[in-house]
Amino acid sequence: MDEWLNSIIQGVLLGGLYALFATGMSLIFGVMRLVNIAHGDLIVLAAYLALICVDATGMAPLTSLLFVVPVMAVIGYVLQRGVLNLTLGDDILPPLLVTFGISIILQNLLLELFSADSRKLQSGWLDTASIQLGDTIAIGLVPLIIFGVAILVIGGLQLLFYRSKLGRAFRATSDDQDTARLMGIDNRHVFALAMAISLAVVAVAGVFLGMRTNFDPSIGPPRLLYAFEAVIIGGLGSLWGTFIGGIVIGVAQSIGAKIDPGWQILAGHIAFLVILVIRPRGLFPRAVD
Amino acid sequence: MTLLETHGLTAFYGDFQALFGIDMEVAEGETIAIIGANGAGKTTFLRSLTGLLRNAHDAVRFDGRPIGDARANAVVALGIAMVPEGRKLFPSLSVEENLLIGGHAGRKGPWDLGRIFALFPVLQERRGAPATALSGGQQQMVSIGRALMSNPRLLLCDEISLGLAPTIIRDIYDSLPQVTDTGCTLMVVEQDINQAMAVADRIYCFQEGRITLEGRPAGLTRDRIRQAYFGV
Amino acid sequence: MSRFTVERTTRTAQAGLGIFVVGLAVLISLPFWAGRADMRLVMEICYFLALAQMWNLLAGYAGLVSIGQQAFVGLGGYALFVGAIYLGIHPLLCILLAGLAAALFAVPTAFVVFRLRGAYFAIGTWVVAEVYRLVFAQVSALGGGSGMSLPIGIVRDLGSSPLQRDMIFYFICIALAVGTTGLVYWILRARHGLALTAIRDSEIASRSLGVDAFRTKFGVYVLVAGITGMVGALIFLLKLRISPDAAFSLQDWTASVLFIVIIGGIGRIEGPIVGTLVFFALRGLLADLGSWYLIVLGALAVLVMLFAPQGIWGLVAERLGWHFFPVRRRLKVGGGEAGDPA
């Protein structure tokens, strides 16, 4: 019994990381109906940027956030303004295919620069620190921090969306692009800001990914799928829904792994498909799409 | 002093030509009414003025400055605001937020939240409600208030009486003098010809993308208007 | 009162027919003067063309953008292996049955993924393909994660000499390439084609005119899955070995097909033909560069999508007005010609 409880707890904590993966995707879909196929690879890029910082200066991975987050935000702004804004319109193919191309480019560029070797961001004592609950349940400090940060990030974004001028602009643009322009909103700039924020969250997700597990250039696509599944399970348009979606995937994977290690990823996918069939609009749908 | 002029303004939707060389002059402080049947090009004209439709650089001049190809958000910053047809309130925003976002461009002037609430007191009571939960007339007030928040020099109103009861229409039009008293120039697109005649200094009639009539209400007969309206 | 007739062929179409006939003759004669390596290359070109035509039909015409077609390639491949090894069915017959099997799997797949729209539909199809990959990796009877090989005996029974076997495969590939191109052309000339283009252009409008969007899309999805399954079966019959990673590989069966269709021109029948040739030319030139080859392909796809979204064939067709496969109907008024000649 305790072992199952442990699995569920580990799954919930894992869900925090998946929620971080998914939040950036949920945000940009909400603001501009864009799905970025390169999302997972950008998470991996952030992990590698952190690696560069750590290797070059010996700083702790958590400290590297100070560098990786702004750099990724700038990358997001430039990427959106320079490339992705050109693809937005009524047709879904251009953004899909362009971001698919970017995904291929990123994966192979990282492969060329860093080789396929598995890497990890070492945090010394933090990596093995844990809180002991009873005999069988050990809560790793890193997963706990990630879970907490996920809550902070989503809470912060909710504040941004609902209590700030920029958030108002995001919501208005998401409702009706043309009328938003009539208010004086420059949607090229607003979209770029949304992508900048999205990639800032991706940066956090990437650094934590690198702290939690081994990574290499090829692990981007599965992260994209988990993020996507969390968004759909949660329901389009709801950031907290995305958070719950991440937890659902995390718990499903954890229970799957308990049954059979080879079933971990499959369990997550199956949970997603089941929810898709019985609740196609997700658990907390809000956006009308 | 001429605030707005258009010279040979043409507009296309793909291959379809909606406007055929519109020439118009509006003096500061005037109230202009545009009348015409559906599909005559009135909304297309307003969209061209606001920058939602891009036109030739010199086709539209505002305060002497060519804005024909300016982006919509730049046009607002210059001082042209529109109350769009169908109101187009933001469903995700409350009444107050809809008003606030009207001021996004940050133009200075007499209009702020307090003054809008003074103009339309019912909005203050419902300030926290989702904008689309209000009645049609109240939504129209929000839309007008939203446009005023950008402190425009020229306010464009596209069919603000559409779908509203006559008493509500009267209330809304009764509030417009408070707008023009601040020096704002008003351009009103109206399906209701009587309403247009009552409020305007001058009237333009559009028909199939062309101006077919222009003049002061007093000087226009029913027959002339009908001819210009229907093109018969 | 003027007479109106609807016309479909043009002079370039007739020229195209000529080129096609000559090309086909060359291809048919190829086994008699080219080496085995060249034959293998042409076979590969043919089955990629088939995959591309099917993807093009699905996305370009039916508006269903799938990045999970590798699911059906893999399903077809495994169906062939199961049929040939465990059921003792003749491998060539297995190809057809594999197509059927893939189409069968497409039914519940569609039921699930059609709940999603747009880009989310695309990723949903990818998830399904991943599920198939992971499930097959768990089935030890099919070799689990490392896969299985096709016993030599099965292949040897197909023909008396290696050359004869290669020729059988070769002509099947040619037939597949010609057949899928012809099928797409036929569908679009028929009533269904008009329905498809209508749905792609505006689902709401077409529905109001009585076109059943769901049934048409569902039908196209299942048909494409079936044929993709047949191609998959053929591919793995040629490779003699199958594994989950190879069978359900996004890189091999979807990324390359996407590239082909983007570069060639989406939504045009000639597009995949041009795209496949360009893809293989680039592969021949750059494959030595390893990851840089893929980076170049990705960058090329991005640039084409941004600045020439109609692809190479799209550019050509617009500039020169060529349509080798005329599927657009033009209205002729009386004796003269009205409408768009390009």
Side-chain angles (χ1 to χ4, degrees), chain A residues 232-257:
Chain A
I232 298 290
I233 289 178
L236 293 176
S238 168
L239 282 181
W240 287 117
T242 300
F243 178 71
I244 302 289
I247 292 180
V248 169
I249 299 285
V251 170
Q253 284 194 358
S254 198
I255 294 181

Side-chain angles (χ1 to χ4, degrees), chain A residues 25 29 35 37 83 86-87 92-94 96-98 100-102 104-105 108-109 111-112 221 224-225 228-229 231-232 236 260 262-263 265-266 269 272-273 276-277 280, chain C residues 55 59 65 67 111-113 115-116 118-120 122-124 126-128 130-131 134-135 138 250-251 254-255 258 262 266 289 291-292 294-295 298-299 302 305-307:
Chain A
M25 179 183 255
F29 185 78
V35 176
I37 304 278
V83 178
L86 300 175
T87 64
I92 59 153
L93 270 176
L96 195 86
L97 297 175
V98 167
F100 191 90
I102 293 174
I104 303 277
I105 294 174
N108 286 282
L109 216 50
L111 197 57
E112 274 297 311
L224 168 75
L225 296 188
F228 154 75
E229 290 171 342
V231 171
I232 298 290
L236 293 176
D260 180 326
W263 277 71
I265 300 176
L266 190 56
H269 290 328
F272 161 72
L273 290 176
L276 181 62
V277 169
Chain C
W55 194 91
V65 181
I67 49 181
F111 175 71
V112 173
V113 296
R115 280 162 149 58
L116 298 164
Y120 283 144
I123 303 182
W126 187 0
V127 171
V128 169
E130 280 296 288
V131 168
L134 292 167
V135 167
Q138 294 293 315
L250 180 89
Q251 181 92 317
T254 286
L258 280 189
I262 295 173
I266 298 177
L289 301 179
S291 317
W292 287 108
L294 291 170
I295 293 174
V302 168
M305 209 60 220
L306 287 178
F307 302 118

Side-chain angles (χ1 to χ4, degrees), chain A residues 161-163 165 168-169 171-176 178-188, chain B residues 47 50-52 71-73 76 82 84 88 90-93 97 100-105 146:
Chain A
F161 262 74
Y162 291 97
R163 307 238 183 196
K165 184 174 170 188
R168 225 174 12 242
R171 283 181 291 140
T173 307
S174 163
D175 277 346
D176 183 341
D178 275 354
T179 308
R181 290 164 63 198
L182 286 178
M183 303 294 113
I185 294 173
D186 181 354
N187 51 0
R188 297 171 305 181
Chain B
R47 286 173 64 93
T50 54
L52 283 179
R71 296 183 64 87
N73 54 296
V76 177
M82 177 153 84
K88 304 270 174 75
F90 298 113
S92 299
L93 273 52
E97 287 177 316
L100 286 174
I101 202 151
H104 185 96
R146 185 178 66 175

Side-chain angles (χ1 to χ4, degrees), chain B residues 23-194:
Chain B
D23 294 318
M24 188 186 282
E25 251 184 61
V26 178
E28 184 145 33
E30 272 198 291
T31 297
I32 303 286
I34 298 181
I35 61 175
N38 281 332
K42 313 187 297 292
T43 297
T44 307
F45 179 66
L46 290 193
R47 286 173 64 93
S48 296
L49 293 183
T50 54
L52 283 179
L53 264 181
R54 304 283 277 276
N55 308 92
H57 181 71
D58 242 356
V60 183
R61 282 177 171 268
F62 185 68
D63 205 4
R65 197 189 157 127
I67 61 164
D69 57 353
R71 296 183 64 87
N73 54 296
V75 172
V76 177
L78 289 174
I80 301 181
M82 177 153 84
V83 183
E85 185 182 358
R87 301 181 274 275
K88 304 270 174 75
L89 297 182
F90 298 113
S92 299
L93 273 52
S94 67
V95 167
E96 179 163 344
E97 287 177 316
N98 265 279
L99 294 175
L100 286 174
I101 202 151
H104 185 96
R107 275 177 59 87
K108 298 281 172 277
W111 295 103
D112 59 18
L113 207 54
R115 192 139 171 194
I116 304 284
F117 284 145
L119 183 63
F120 300 123
V122 64
L123 298 186
Q124 182 156 25
E125 290 163 34
R126 317 253 355 237
R127 67 202 287 176
T132 41
L134 269 53
S135 72
Q138 291 167 348
Q139 286 191 36
Q140 193 61 270
M141 294 178 198
V142 176
S143 194
I144 295 174
R146 185 178 66 175
L148 288 173
M149 285 288 287
S150 69
N151 284 298
R153 291 175 67 187
L154 170 63
L155 182 68
L156 311 173
C157 295
D158 199 349
E159 310 253 24
I160 54 180
S161 59
L162 213 53
L164 300 181
T167 34
I168 312 286
I169 299 175
R170 205 178 22 246
D171 286 343
I172 291 183
Y173 269 98
D174 282 346
S175 65
L176 287 185
Q178 293 183 58
V179 173
T180 48
D181 282 347
T182 62
C184 187
T185 310
L186 195 58
M187 185 180 291
V188 169
V189 166
E190 252 308 332
Q191 289 249 11
D192 182 344
I193 301 182
N194 290 323

